[in-house]
Amino acid sequence: MYDLVVIGEGLSGLLTAIAARKQGYRTALITKGAGRIIQSSGLFDLIPGSDSDLDAWFRFHHLTSNQKIDVAAAIDRFKDLMNRLHLPYSGNIDHPVSVITGSGHLKKTVLYPATVTPIPDQGCAVIIDFDELSDFQGHFAAANLRADRPQLNVHWLSLHLGIHSQRTLNQLDFARLLEQEQVRRTCIRQIRDQLTERRINKPDLLIFPSVLGADQWQKVVGDFRQAFAARLTEAPGLPPNASGYRLFTALRCEAMRLGVRFYLDAAVMGGEIAANRLLSVTYQTSFSTGKLSAAYFALATGGLLGGGLEATAEGVRESVLHLACDRTGHVTDLPGNLYPIGASQGLAHTACGITGGVFTLLSSNQALRAMDSEREGRECHA
Amino acid sequence: MLEWHVLNETFEKCLKCNACVANCPITANTLAFGGPKHLGPERARLVENQNPIDDKRIEYCTLCGTCDRSCPENVPVSTLMAYAKMRHQEQTGSSFRDFVLSNAELVGKMASGFAPITNLAMRTKPVRIVMEKVMHMAAERHFPAYRFKNFNRTFASSEAKAAEIHIPKLSKRKVAYFVGCYASYNAPEVADSFMQVMRFNGISVLKPKQKCCGIPMLANGRMKQAAKNAAYNCEQLLTYVHQGYDIVATCTSCSLALKKEYRSLLQSDAAKELSAHVYDASEYLRMLQENGEFNENLAPVEQTAGYHAPCHMRAQAMGSPSLDILEMIPGYSIQDLGEGCCGQCGTFGFKKEKYAVSLQLGKRMAESVHALGAETTVTECGMCKNQLDQLTDKPVRHPLQILAASYQKAAAHAPTAARI
Ligand SMILES: Cc1cc2nc3c(=O)[nH]c(=O)nc-3n(C[C@H](O)[C@H](O)[C@H](O)COP(=O)(O)OP(=O)(O)OC[C@H]3O[C@@H](n4cnc5c(N)ncnc54)[C@H](O)[C@@H]3O)c2cc1C
């Protein structure tokens, strides 16, 4: 019934499903749950947890320099997509920039959404905290930022919104609160008062936790920008970050609108392979079992974190289709019509346990290209 | 008391990753709700081997199941929530309003019996104000109309009408139709369409004895009553399963109950057996199509439509069978709206204290209907339709109504073809 079945709903799965639909593949996406993208920062790094540049990244993933064009194409394609989804991304793969994280430390990234601004070396930055938000500690963030950027004049202030909640508030809750004009006005007033009180004349940059609107980030960013004539950025930290959530919901909504068929809360338990081709996958839900057949399959099940790989006493195991793999989880007996994407390519592609978003973009693009040429080849042959 | 021992282990898998919280439609719209992670697995962990804790915040959970679909660790969050709701209901009792709302079937029987009067009364302001004051129902909320000619009264004539459709070869398949309260009392036209579509596919349909599927009871914490209905339906429907019938429902909440909820409510082999024979109507038709048994003699329907996927449809891990089926109609252009929960959430949106949240939730869906600008909206769920009717100006149809119209048109234009 399908041309392509994508297994997994992380960044890899969603991007692949969207691109495939656009190329006319009848596409299904099957997943046992949301991918790690919903816990992520929404940023696209080269090698997570490292400041290395593009060359180091090429070496890390064993890519050849003639694949540089592929990387550029993947990034352009992603930027086009995100422009269309009104969540534009900036950045240049040759020039990683420093952005702030929830701890206040800086990290290098190459693609970032419009709610994020690189941290300058100098000037005046004000970190905005909220009394009611325990997932972000502004004074620690300020201290860490000062250590990372000694020339930058860093201030910290905390707002009190007087909000009564029946649960512990997280960043996403604040992102939704800030979508209310009334709440924004209160924030702006309190920030103004505290800036005056502390004799901070004109901040160049306001640093918030990742709370600048859930769906309506433009409104939120626009209001603060206008009120203070300053640049704004988010410091993503403990999940859920509004920046990761925005990316996830934008991609998922797009996939649904394009007609990707979702099989949710369904765990793939194995597949049927014949003559080096995966014919179908079997899945289980809490009340049923089923089978999906397709011409092509994308394995976007993530690595150890996503559930696609499992660490056992004997070593790493591919736990979804039970394919043979080496000790890094790299599948060694890959059926010809199965394409592993992103973190499911094995531990050699992860750093600090995670696969950088840029590699995910590249591998998704490459898989689609390979599928396309295989399909064309088959059609010609036929 | 009902307890599901399995639950005692499953919540341990929760890693507190917050995927359920981030996706929960109610959490996104009110701070009065404790959230699925806290009231589900965390609460379960807290009260294990201790005195149960009653938590009022659970009232906001609608059992839409988005948490289950978000959780990467397979924690049965919504089932844990259903138990927390039961606990709360046991400790505090049901308000008269919740008792009434959860009795969709009884209300349907009574309201449709006096339909012209009920409908008129429900539309008048004084009655609404009294309902709000006495019953705590939202005065501004529109209610679905009840039909005097409900499907229990019209089944025989509907069956006779369907039998007039001549079709070349009768299928070996037999269907026992789980009509559900909505198609019975509010939308017998959906049930009629179902009868006709089945007939166009050469399938005979009977209507087994049935009670409300129990979903409104579960959502209001009345788990024991839901289990009673489950046991009744399970027994009735299984007798047909044993005679080779497939069980098909046009309401996706009903089909979810029969497939999934009964298994945890009854924890019996009977419930498991039933579950494997239940289909959503579009899913059933898609299965026929895959097996080459589907009547593809569909006349063009030149129309654009937006599709709203009900939460309980998504919960069935079956893709979007209604889209698959409707896309086969020539000229028919349908697109998924791509939004989440409609906000009506069954009985939730009728309640006075939940009404504002319900509307706020529905706003996104309404905006997406507007942005798409299609002529109609299609959805399987009567309660989603209720919200769509109130918040948008497009007519809302069940997928089978569209399909029935296409078949009828084909038969009218080529009577010989249909009669061969
Ligand atoms: C906390 C955190 C922060 C991050 N921050 C950054 C960052 O700042 N910059 C950056 O570049 N990257 C970041 N990432 C990484 C990035 O978000 C993705 O994790 C990475 O790109 C890999 O994505 P993936 O889609 O390959 O795998 P995953 O996101 O792990 O998705 C795997 C999917 O497969 C599904 N699945 C697994 N097994 C089965 C099965 N048997 N059946 C069906 N479905 C199955 C899972 O449910 C899931 O949907 C972060 C990740 C985390 C966890």
Side-chain angles (χ1 to χ4, degrees), chain A residues 287, chain B residues 4-5 230-231 234-235 237-238 241-242 258-259 262-278:
Chain A
F287 57 89
Chain B
W4 191 19
H5 57 279
C234 194
E235 193 188 326
L237 298 175
L238 265 187
V241 168
H242 293 155
L258 302 177
K259 284 180 183 181
Y262 287 9
R263 290 179 56 135
S264 61
L265 277 172
L266 302 174
Q267 294 173 56
S268 66
D269 290 339
K272 250 191 209 167
E273 189 187 355
L274 172 65
S275 166
H277 292 88
V278 177

Side-chain angles (χ1 to χ4, degrees), chain B residues 112-363:
Chain B
S112 66
F114 302 97
I117 306 166
T118 353
N119 294 335
L120 200 67
M122 298 285 266
R123 272 186 227 124
T124 57
K125 204 148 184 212
V127 172
R128 286 163 167 278
I129 291 171
V130 172
M131 291 240 302
E132 174 152 319
K133 288 259 150 62
V134 181
M135 292 276 287
H136 307 290
M137 301 264 216
E140 301 299 317
R141 166 59 74 192
H142 301 188
F143 285 79
Y146 285 91
R147 298 296 184 74
F148 180 72
K149 291 196 168 181
N150 70 48
F151 195 62
N152 291 336
R153 293 181 206 266
T154 60
F155 174 71
S157 68
S158 184
E159 200 181 20
K161 224 169 106 194
E164 285 169 19
I165 300 165
H166 293 278
I167 57 148
K169 110 176 155 352
L170 286 183
S171 158
K172 281 198 235 34
R173 293 184 186 274
K174 299 182 285 186
V175 162
Y177 178 24
F178 193 86
V179 189
C181 301
Y182 183 76
S184 291
Y185 302 107
N186 304 102
E189 62 277 11
V190 170
D192 269 342
S193 298
F194 176 77
M195 299 292 289
Q196 298 193 6
V197 167
M198 285 299 134
R199 181 68 192 182
F200 274 112
N201 282 283
I203 296 173
S204 57
V205 178
L206 62 73
K207 187 165 80 72
K209 277 196 196 154
Q210 52 192 279
K211 289 192 171 165
C212 166
C213 71
I215 289 277
M217 293 157 185
L218 267 186
N220 285 285
R222 299 182 58 222
M223 195 182 267
K224 277 183 197 153
Q225 188 56 47
K228 266 192 201 160
N229 283 30
Y232 178 88
N233 287 334
C234 194
E235 193 188 326
Q236 290 295 331
L237 298 175
L238 265 187
T239 58
Y240 290 97
V241 168
H242 293 155
Q243 295 167 49
Y245 282 82
D246 299 317
I247 313 297
V248 184
T250 41
C251 166
T252 42
S253 293
C254 296
S255 49
L256 182 70
L258 302 177
K259 284 180 183 181
K260 177 177 177 231
E261 307 303 346
Y262 287 9
R263 290 179 56 135
S264 61
L265 277 172
L266 302 174
Q267 294 173 56
S268 66
D269 290 339
K272 250 191 209 167
E273 189 187 355
L274 172 65
S275 166
H277 292 88
V278 177
Y279 298 85
D280 157 66
S282 297
E283 181 191 24
Y284 193 68
L285 292 163
R286 185 179 66 185
M287 186 266 290
L288 294 181
Q289 202 264 340
E290 281 167 7
N291 291 340
E293 300 170 43
F294 182 69
N295 174 2
E296 294 190 2
N297 186 16
L298 291 157
V301 177
E302 300 291 342
Q303 204 173 58
T304 55
Y307 171 65
H308 171 73
C311 293
H312 289 170
M313 191 295 288
R314 284 178 220 259
Q316 296 185 35
M318 57 183 182
S320 311
S322 292
L323 291 178
D324 294 334
I325 290 300
L326 293 180
E327 282 175 359
M328 292 198 283
I329 301 177
Y332 195 71
S333 160
I334 184 161
Q335 192 194 327
D336 197 321
L337 292 166
E339 291 301 339
C341 175
C342 75
Q344 171 70 54
C345 316
T347 61
F348 181 90
F350 294 115
K351 300 177 180 178
K352 184 180 158 195
E353 73 283 7
K354 316 275 172 22
Y355 183 62
V357 178
S358 164
L359 285 193
Q360 202 181 308
L361 246 159
K363 224 172 105 189

Side-chain angles (χ1 to χ4, degrees), chain A residues 9-12 14 31 33-44 89 170-172 176 210 236-252 305-306 354, chain B residues 16-25 66-67 69-73:
Chain A
E9 199 195 19
L11 183 63
S12 303
L14 287 168
T31 188
R36 294 300 162 196
I37 177 177
I38 198 149
Q39 278 108 42
S40 85
S41 61
L43 301 170
F44 290 65
Y89 269 70
N170 60 38
Q171 296 185 93
L172 193 51
R176 285 164 176 149
S210 189
L238 287 176
N241 295 292
S243 48
Y245 171 83
R246 272 180 230 122
L247 177 63
F248 173 67
T249 46
L251 294 179
R252 183 155 72 172
L305 267 184
I354 61 180
Chain B
K16 305 190 179 221
C17 76
N18 268 314
C20 57
V21 179
N23 283 306
C24 169
T66 310
C67 43
R69 300 191 283 286
S70 310
C71 176
E73 304 303 327

Side-chain angles (χ1 to χ4, degrees), chain A residues 17-236:
Chain A
I18 288 171
R21 262 316 283 153
K22 285 223 193 91
Q23 283 167 223
Y25 287 69
R26 283 171 303 166
T27 306
L29 187 152
I30 180 160
T31 188
K32 68 182 167 89
R36 294 300 162 196
I37 177 177
I38 198 149
Q39 278 108 42
S40 85
S41 61
L43 301 170
F44 290 65
D45 304 351
L46 290 173
I47 305 176
S50 118
D51 281 354
S52 45
D53 61 6
L54 192 58
D55 289 337
W57 181 76
F58 265 82
R59 286 195 300 277
F60 183 79
H61 291 291
H62 300 286
L63 299 167
T64 56
S65 58
N66 56 13
Q67 283 173 305
K68 216 164 176 175
I69 297 175
D70 290 355
V71 183
I75 288 184
D76 285 348
R77 189 173 186 160
F78 175 72
K79 282 185 176 172
D80 283 349
L81 171 67
M82 297 319 288
N83 275 335
R84 233 167 16 82
L85 303 183
H86 308 294
L87 192 64
Y89 269 70
S90 317
N92 181 335
I93 183 126
D94 290 308
H95 302 287
V97 294
S98 295
V99 293
I100 187 167
T101 65
S103 68
H105 283 302
L106 301 182
K107 75 161 187 171
K108 293 278 190 203
T109 199
V110 291
L111 284 171
Y112 48 94
T115 51
V116 169
T117 306
I119 300 294
D121 291 327
Q122 296 175 348
C124 170
V126 178
I127 294 180
I128 317 277
D129 196 352
F130 298 89
D131 289 352
E132 295 97 338
L133 177 63
S134 54
D135 285 354
F136 182 76
Q137 296 296 327
H139 54 298
F140 287 129
N144 288 333
L145 179 59
R146 278 185 205 116
D148 283 8
R149 279 279 189 267
Q151 309 275 320
L152 188 67
N153 196 357
V154 181
H155 302 273
W156 162 67
L157 47 92
S158 191
L159 314 182
H160 185 83
L161 300 186
I163 285 159
H164 298 286
S165 169
Q166 288 297 325
R167 58 178 188 266
T168 313
L169 293 171
N170 60 38
Q171 296 185 93
L172 193 51
D173 290 319
F174 270 84
R176 285 164 176 149
L177 283 167
L178 287 182
E179 289 183 345
Q180 299 171 25
E181 197 175 338
Q182 183 66 33
V183 175
R184 286 202 297 279
R185 252 188 263 141
T186 308
C187 292
I188 290 173
R189 190 170 31 83
Q190 289 192 17
I191 297 173
R192 274 212 182 105
D193 289 352
Q194 293 194 38
L195 289 179
T196 318
E197 203 177 295
R198 310 250 207 108
R199 308 219 172 122
I200 304 167
N201 252 343
K202 198 195 150 306
D204 301 302
L205 178 67
L206 300 181
I207 301 172
F208 287 82
S210 189
V211 298
L212 296 175
D215 305 311
Q216 303 166 36
W217 64 269
Q218 285 111 325
K219 225 188 255 172
V220 178
V221 170
D223 269 14
F224 282 112
R225 231 183 233 155
Q226 200 183 4
F228 298 99
R231 276 173 296 155
L232 247 56
T233 196
E234 292 182 291

